[in-house]
Amino acid sequence: MDSQFTAGPSPDDRAGRDSTAGDVPGPWSPASGAERASLPFDVIIAGCGPTGAMLAAELRLHDVRVLVLEKETEPKSFVRIVGLHIRSLELMAMRGLLDRVLPHGRRRPAGGFFAAIPKPAPEGLDSAYAYLLGIPQPVVERFLEEHATALGAQVRRGCAVAGFEQDDEGVTVELADGEQLRSRYLVGCDGGRSTVRKLLGVGFPGEPSRNDTLMGEMHVGVPPEEIAAKVAEINETHRPFWLRPFGGGVYSVVVPAAEVGDRAKPPTLEDFQQQLRAVAGTDFGVHSPRWLSRFGDATRLAERYRVGRVLLAGDAAHIHPPIGGQGLNLGVQDAFNLGWKLAAQIRGWAPDTLLDTYQAERRPVAEDVLDNTRAQTELLSSEPGAQAVRRLLTELMDFDEVNRHLIEKITAIGVRYDFGEGPDLLGRRLRDIDVKQGRLYDLLHRGRGLLLDRTERLTAGGWSDRVDHLADPTAALDAPCVLLRPDGHVAWIGDDQRDLDDHLSRWFGRPAD
């Protein structure tokens, strides 16, 4: 039998209930199409950074009416280079975006991430995208915003959230100029100083910054070999400290700050010169900066990701030192997890507890990131005890299992959600495998679930309006059949139709009539 790929009706054809958990009191009744139409927006997102833009795009895949509010009138002008880790590259591939992103970045080996310990990545990482993509942050933000608007999201710049109230039907959002907007849900993607989180009254416990670091991009006035020799000498006792070339005489410069300062106020070139001289004995002739900033090692995690109709994602829910380059990636992955669940709630087919799984799945991941950045921060200390531990870990990372575990942790391909008892693959993301249609991730561009059926005996049945079906006995998969959620995580493994139906109901609600 030939490979079959079937897709049911678009979820645009269906609307229904909106049962909302959380602290907002009152019985939650199904929302009719007329009730949904009475509100101008389904979701308002505060913040148009990578997290907010990705969330908007994911919602638009399901015809959710989205408005993104961004307080800044213009996109960021400074060119900070960020790294897209393996899992984020996989997400881009799942939505057909990776080939469009790659020309704007530079591939780098997937190694040396953990506390900047220079170990190469182990061979055979479980991904078709086992590399780091260095890319300017403004490019990522512009690309994702354009992707969201191309799908139909509205973006309004120069609009800051000043207040909101939620009730049984939705959320009234007040802007700084007094304008009021109405939507079914509000999501705060507005950064570590999140206005939405503060107004929501959600605690943000953790540790304040103890040490600040200066970071910027600027020209230098000494030969590259002199820079390399001095950096190697300093790195024996001081971390973080580096000058990394970008080409054309421009370097990324990172040096410890003199004290903890106000991160809302950018440092000056003189601050960099002073600290470079204090640490290295020379300022390397730095001049003509492209951008300058400071970051601290504050580590905080929101007590809750959801209260009623208001949710948090990205830096609004968690902040941590940028060691290992996990911050932007963690936020984008939050959005990917939340998008289809919130869309299901609005479209009316979400099981009662589906939206609650956003916090249940993503908050533990953030806790793990906070822990590993705490550990890395300690390993960057110049204290003798920390340096002794660093030398020991450096030795341990020569063992493949240790190195692999740390790489999978940093790049998020080791994440496993708790879906109950089952094979190790259950709850994990499935790599981009070969199928008769080409590549697995090419079948996930629409943000729907997927039944990958090697037995050719199963069916998505009454869920075909939200779950596609691929019958392919030749798929490169060590399991009879798997059910994938829209985020690519394995929700079920087996070959029994009745068991499959139970899991389809668990993740995709009741079958269509």
Side-chain angles (χ1 to χ4, degrees):
M1 183 182 295
D2 293 335
S3 169
Q4 298 178 0
F5 179 72
T6 57
S10 165
D12 298 358
D13 300 332
R14 303 185 68 243
R17 65 179 179 79
D18 180 24
S19 108
T20 304
D23 288 344
V24 177
W28 298 96
S29 58
S32 67
E35 287 172 325
R36 182 185 177 209
S38 67
L39 297 179
F41 302 105
D42 295 314
V43 179
I44 290 177
I45 299 171
C48 196
T51 301
M54 176 59 85
L55 177 59
E58 287 297 290
L59 292 169
R60 282 303 304 155
L61 288 176
H62 302 277
D63 196 38
V64 172
R65 298 165 303 173
V66 182
L67 172 65
V68 186
L69 303 174
E70 173 52 56
K71 67 179 181 179
E72 302 296 335
T73 57
E74 298 292 337
K76 293 183 177 68
S77 58
F78 60 81
V79 187
R80 177 181 177 183
I81 303 298
V82 296
L84 294 180
H85 282 309
I86 297 173
R87 182 54 180 156
S88 294
L89 297 174
E90 290 183 339
L91 302 186
M92 297 291 178
M94 285 183 197
R95 297 300 183 257
L97 303 175
L98 185 57
D99 287 343
R100 292 158 55 189
V101 171
L102 287 177
H104 300 285
R106 183 178 178 182
R107 298 191 194 192
R108 299 176 183 271
F113 299 144
F114 197 86
I117 294 175
K119 297 290 183 180
E123 295 183 2
L125 284 174
D126 184 34
S127 178
Y129 313 98
Y131 53 88
L132 174 77
L133 185 69
I135 189 169
Q137 183 166 340
V139 171
V140 175
E141 295 185 358
R142 182 176 67 250
F143 176 82
L144 291 177
E145 180 178 342
E146 290 175 351
H147 172 53
T149 55
L151 290 172
Q154 298 182 43
V155 177
R156 289 178 56 180
R157 289 190 168 272
C159 295
V161 174
F164 61 82
E165 292 184 357
Q166 59 175 314
D167 53 48
D168 289 2
E169 284 75 40
V171 185
T172 301
V173 178
E174 182 175 349
L175 305 185
D177 63 1
E179 181 182 1
Q180 292 189 341
L181 302 169
R182 185 84 171 146
S183 69
R184 306 264 305 274
Y185 290 89
L186 169 66
V187 185
C189 301
D190 49 344
R193 298 181 179 87
S194 171
T195 298
V196 172
R197 186 192 65 242
K198 293 174 182 176
L199 292 173
L200 194 58
V202 170
F204 204 39
E207 305 91 52
S209 184
R210 298 174 299 171
N211 302 284
D212 274 12
T213 301
L214 304 181
M215 173 183 285
E217 293 176 10
M218 59 202 74
H219 290 261
V220 299
V222 299
E225 56 272 15
E226 181 178 333
I227 296 173
K230 180 59 71 171
V231 169
E233 175 189 336
I234 300 301
N235 279 165
E236 294 181 3
T237 56
H238 286 79
R239 297 180 179 87
F241 178 89
W242 70 67
L243 282 83
R244 294 176 179 169
F246 280 141
V250 177
Y251 278 70
S252 168
V253 178
V254 170
V255 62
E259 59 186 5
V260 175
D262 181 3
R263 274 170 293 284
K265 182 180 179 182
T268 65
L269 178 61
E270 184 179 353
D271 293 328
F272 277 79
Q273 292 169 330
Q274 177 181 327
Q275 286 307 108
L276 287 169
R277 288 193 294 267
V279 175
T282 174
D283 63 12
F284 300 96
V286 294
H287 64 93
S288 306
R290 288 181 174 181
W291 60 268
L292 305 172
S293 69
R294 69 166 62 230
F295 64 86
D297 56 1
T299 303
R300 298 186 181 277
L301 178 63
E303 292 178 336
R304 303 185 64 180
Y305 279 21
R306 179 188 176 203
V307 178
R309 293 179 176 269
V310 183
L311 301 100
L312 303 171
D315 288 353
H318 40 70
I319 59 171
H320 54 85
I323 302 168
Q326 299 168 91
L328 182 149
N329 294 274
L330 183 61
V332 167
Q333 292 156 25
D334 283 347
F336 217 78
N337 184 284
L338 175 59
W340 71 277
K341 297 173 181 178
L342 186 54
Q345 193 78 23
I346 290 165
R347 299 305 304 175
W349 55 260
D352 290 341
T353 60
L354 181 63
L355 197 52
D356 292 330
T357 66
Y358 166 59
Q359 173 176 307
E361 293 174 3
R362 294 305 299 171
R363 196 171 183 276
V365 172
E367 285 181 312
D368 185 72
V369 170
L370 266 59
D371 276 350
N372 81 58
T373 54
R374 286 185 179 106
Q376 292 181 77
T377 299
E378 294 299 320
L379 292 171
L380 293 171
S381 169
S382 59
E383 292 296 319
Q387 287 300 298
V389 176
R390 183 183 180 88
R391 288 192 293 271
L392 175 60
L393 183 60
T394 301
E395 293 179 15
L396 291 174
M397 287 178 68
D398 287 333
F399 291 96
D400 182 83
E401 295 84 353
V402 175
N403 192 19
R404 186 177 303 275
H405 175 75
L406 294 176
I407 288 288
E408 291 180 350
K409 181 183 291 291
I410 294 289
T411 62
I413 62 173
V415 170
R416 186 190 188 199
Y417 299 139
D418 184 6
F419 293 172
E421 295 294 327
D424 182 67
L425 184 60
L426 183 67
R428 297 188 183 275
R429 98 281 184 261
L430 184 60
R431 74 191 311 271
D432 192 8
I433 63 174
D434 289 323
V435 295
K436 274 194 174 180
Q437 296 283 343
R439 300 292 295 178
L440 175 68
Y441 287 2
D442 291 340
L443 307 181
L444 299 174
H445 289 184
R446 296 196 298 165
R448 293 158 57 92
L450 175 67
L451 173 61
L452 179 53
D453 176 14
R454 296 181 69 242
T455 70
E456 301 183 290
R457 294 186 290 102
L458 303 184
T459 175
W463 294 271
S464 60
D465 60 335
R466 63 209 88 148
V467 178
D468 295 327
H469 178 212
L470 175 64
D472 181 2
T474 67
L477 178 69
D478 188 22
C481 307
V482 297
L483 174 65
L484 295 182
R485 306 190 318 183
D487 58 4
H489 280 261
V490 177
W492 172 81
I493 302 170
D495 58 7
D496 181 77
Q497 183 68 53
R498 285 186 298 179
D499 190 34
L500 169 62
D501 290 349
D502 289 342
H503 285 79
L504 284 165
S505 295
R506 174 183 175 182
W507 294 109
F508 298 97
R510 289 174 294 185
D513 296 333

